[in-house]
């Protein structure tokens, strides 16, 4: 393998990532630890682990967004029947989270701590949805803090609530 300086390797990270990864792999394999671009390598390892948590946050954000729509915007969307798609979306996101937890059990304990992060994403989607439906999001005063607990997001049964509405 051609020798490369630490500075050249760091620059390669931005110019040709696949080659940077290949060289670092070879350096690690050869135990040439002093030449490894540790700063960027550690960041990449962190990002690899974080990507699965980010996926969980994304699914949780969908749940929060659609719970909020169900609770606050069914009248804007055409009533109770309009919310059935939101219910399906919540159930789909919960199923995806269960699969994620099976593959990566540690996420089950990390995701509840990310509810506020998920809420930030949910609010952004709510604002987009309101604008797309010709409403001014500022008029709706969306909460800055998540109005739901993690347990509620993961277990609230909207289909049961529909049954309770119908029987009332």
């Amino acid at each position: 393998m051609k020798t490369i300086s630490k500075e050249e390797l760091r620059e390669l990270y931005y110019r040709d990532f696949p080659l940077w990864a290949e060289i670092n792999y070879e350096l690690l394999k050869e135990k040439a630890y002093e030449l490894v671009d540790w700063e960027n390598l550690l960041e990449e390892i962190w990002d690899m682990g974080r990507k699965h948590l980010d996926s969980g946050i994304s699914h949780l954000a969908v749940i929060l967004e659609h719970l909020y729509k169900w609770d606050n915007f069914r009248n804007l969307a055409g009533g109770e029947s309009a919310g059935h798609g939101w219910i399906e979306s919540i159930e789909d996101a919960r199923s995806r989270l269960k699969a994620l937890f099976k593959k990566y059990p540690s996420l089950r304990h990390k995701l509840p701590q990310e509810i506020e992060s998920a809420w930030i994403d949910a609010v952004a989607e709510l604002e987009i949805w309101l604008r797309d439906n010709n409403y001014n999001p500022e008029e709706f005063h969306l909460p800055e803090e998540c109005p739901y607990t993690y347990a509620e997001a993961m277990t609230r049964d909207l289909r049961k609530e529909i049954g309770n509405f119908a029987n009332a």
Side-chain angles (χ1 to χ4, degrees), residues 76-136:
L76 296 180
E80 202 168 289
S81 63
H84 288 283
W86 299 333
I87 294 171
E88 289 175 18
S89 179
I90 289 167
E91 291 170 348
D92 290 350
R94 287 176 180 160
S95 293
R96 288 184 179 99
L97 282 174
K98 286 178 189 170
L100 201 62
F101 294 156
K102 277 187 177 180
K103 289 195 272 187
Y104 311 108
S106 66
L107 295 182
R108 183 181 302 279
H109 306 291
K110 291 179 183 176
L111 191 59
Q113 300 165 20
E114 299 292 337
I115 195 159
E116 290 302 328
S117 179
W119 180 245
I120 291 168
D121 295 341
V123 168
E125 291 299 321
L126 288 165
E127 289 173 346
I128 291 167
W129 180 81
L130 287 166
R131 278 194 304 274
D132 287 350
N133 286 281
N134 299 313
Y135 294 102
N136 179 355

Side-chain angles (χ1 to χ4, degrees), residues 144-156:
E144 285 189 36
E145 292 184 17
C146 184
Y148 304 103
T149 64
Y150 178 78
E152 184 178 9
M154 295 302 291
T155 61
R156 186 168 161 203

Side-chain angles (χ1 to χ4, degrees), residues 5-48:
S5 73
K6 286 186 85 139
E7 292 76 28
E8 290 172 316
L9 187 57
R10 271 193 216 106
E11 289 173 17
L12 195 56
Y13 177 79
Y14 299 102
R15 286 187 293 120
D16 189 344
F17 181 82
L19 182 57
W20 171 89
E22 181 183 329
I23 291 171
N24 274 288
Y25 170 78
E26 290 298 327
L27 291 170
L28 288 168
K29 207 165 98 176
E30 295 172 13
K31 297 182 172 59
Y33 302 128
E34 69 282 356
L35 299 175
V36 170
D37 180 4
W38 288 107
E39 183 180 333
N40 288 317
L41 184 60
L42 291 172
E43 186 176 322
E44 288 301 318
I45 291 170
W46 173 257
D47 286 347
M48 285 181 349

